[in-house]
């Protein structure tokens, strides 16, 4: 059975912020979209427990500019106890991107739970893109910055940009560990969907834009799956 299928989509937006993890308080954006942000957009458009996305390339259609903004943010999470905004408000600066557009190339990869070929899910994804359908509003790194999307066309041309970005976040591996219950997350395996406890570990790669394309190493996804203990996704 075909276990991998290629998809492509164009995304753009007025603002974007792909936060560098080394700047937690004052948000500083990477100069281009991260693979984790691209994966989030694809999952907003179409997702099922039978599939995962592996980002292969991100093309820069419009690099955009940078802009500094100052926002009021909460310093604690909302819960059942009411928050006194005067006590939990902080002003923080963010360096964000403005007027960006990207060309995402990715693979749909089947999990052990899948019983249909990858082409079926590829066709479902393409139909949703053509109709403009999504599960929740896609966003460019931060929920306040909505993303628009469409199929790619012959008019879309990647800019001839070369750029050394350095270490970039690929994605987070959600590792099940009973001795380190820092968070709860859903695990979709052959028996169904269950809630697991453990922690999240970031996976990084050395990012470089060559002739307008950011290429993501395939082996990094194998490293992520190995951390999560999902050898079933070793389909190559």
């Amino acid at each position: 059975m075909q276990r991998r299928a290629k998809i492509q989509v164009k995304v753009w937006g007025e603002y974007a912020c792909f936060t560098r993890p080394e700047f937690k308080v004052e948000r500083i954006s990477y100069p281009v979209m991260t693979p984790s942000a691209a994966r989030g957009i694809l999952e907003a458009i179409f997702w099922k427990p039978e599939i995962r996305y592996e980002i292969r390339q991100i093309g820069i259609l419009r690099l955009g500019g940078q802009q500094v903004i100052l926002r009021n943010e909460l310093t604690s999470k909302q819960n059942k106890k009411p928050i006194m905004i005067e006590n939990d408000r902080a002003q923080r600066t963010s360096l964000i991107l403005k007027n960006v557009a990207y060309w995402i190339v990715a693979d749909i990869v089947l999990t052990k739970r899948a019983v249909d070929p990858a082409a079926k899910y590829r066709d479902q994804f393409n139909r949703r893109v053509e109709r403009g359908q999504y599960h929740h509003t896609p966003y460019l790194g931060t929920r306040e910055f909505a993303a628009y999307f469409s199929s790619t066309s012959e008019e879309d041309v990647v800019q001839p940009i070369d750029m050394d970005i350095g270490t970039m976040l690929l994605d987070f591996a959600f590792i099940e560990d009973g001795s380190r219950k820092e968070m709860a997350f859903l695990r979709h395996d052959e028996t169904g969907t269950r809630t697991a406890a453990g922690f999240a570990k970031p996976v990084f790669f050395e990012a470089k834009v060559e002739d307008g394309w950011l290429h993501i190493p395939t082996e990094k996804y194998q490293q992520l799956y190995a951390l999560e203990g999902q050898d079933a996704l070793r389909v190559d």
Side-chain angles (χ1 to χ4, degrees):
M1 182 171 69
Q2 180 191 9
R3 303 194 65 84
R4 187 183 288 268
K6 181 181 176 182
I7 57 169
Q8 303 184 66
V9 66
K10 173 185 174 182
V11 300
W12 69 94
E14 188 174 2
Y15 297 102
C17 184
F18 310 110
T19 306
R20 303 185 73 114
E22 62 267 40
F23 300 101
K24 280 191 173 179
V25 177
E26 306 296 340
R27 294 198 177 95
I28 307 293
S29 177
Y30 285 109
V32 300
M33 173 185 278
T34 61
S36 61
R39 188 258 306 157
I41 289 175
L42 301 183
E43 290 182 347
I45 297 171
F46 174 71
W47 180 82
K48 284 182 177 292
E50 292 87 350
I51 65 170
R52 292 186 69 158
Y53 291 104
E54 291 183 10
I55 309 303
R56 298 270 73 89
Q57 302 178 86
I58 297 174
I60 301 173
L61 297 172
R62 202 163 54 236
L63 185 61
Q66 292 182 321
Q67 181 171 338
V68 176
I69 60 173
L70 188 63
R71 295 189 295 182
N72 291 326
E73 297 185 0
L74 291 175
T75 57
S76 57
K77 292 183 178 179
Q78 178 72 59
N79 54 36
K80 293 181 180 178
K81 185 180 178 181
I83 289 178
M84 297 297 294
I85 189 65
E86 291 80 6
N87 299 330
D88 291 276
R89 181 171 56 197
Q91 283 196 326
R92 289 177 178 160
T93 303
S94 298
L95 180 62
I96 65 173
L97 305 178
K98 186 176 181 182
N99 195 24
V100 297
Y102 304 102
W103 181 337
I104 301 172
V105 180
D107 282 345
I108 289 178
V109 182
L110 299 186
T111 67
K112 274 187 173 179
R113 193 161 163 172
V115 295
D116 296 308
K120 172 185 174 181
Y121 301 103
R122 177 199 60 202
D123 294 343
Q124 290 182 21
F125 177 88
N126 289 336
R127 284 197 295 271
R128 291 181 70 84
V129 170
E130 291 170 3
R131 296 169 182 167
Q133 295 176 310
Y134 49 81
H135 294 300
H136 59 266
T137 304
Y139 54 89
L140 293 166
T142 304
R143 290 186 184 275
E144 299 98 302
F145 302 150
Y148 306 93
F149 61 91
S150 72
S151 303
T152 56
S153 69
E154 295 180 353
E155 297 176 354
D156 297 321
V157 179
V158 172
Q159 295 185 2
I161 297 172
D162 294 317
M163 185 191 311
D164 271 325
I165 299 174
T167 303
M168 176 181 263
L169 175 68
L170 174 86
D171 216 322
F172 285 92
F174 292 91
I175 303 170
E176 201 170 343
D177 189 342
S179 64
R180 192 174 165 185
K181 297 181 179 179
E182 298 177 2
M183 61 187 305
F185 49 86
L186 296 178
R187 184 71 93 200
H188 309 283
D189 52 30
E190 291 175 279
T191 58
T193 300
R194 58 185 173 83
T195 301
F199 63 97
K201 181 177 181 178
V203 177
F204 295 92
F205 71 106
E206 288 301 313
K208 180 184 288 186
V209 176
E210 294 178 320
D211 203 20
W213 289 97
L214 172 65
H215 300 276
I216 294 88
T218 305
E219 61 271 18
K220 282 295 176 181
Y221 280 100
Q222 299 306 322
Q223 178 184 342
L224 186 146
Y225 299 148
L227 288 170
E228 293 186 343
Q230 298 188 52
D231 292 338
L233 289 172
R234 296 176 182 274
V235 296
D236 288 330

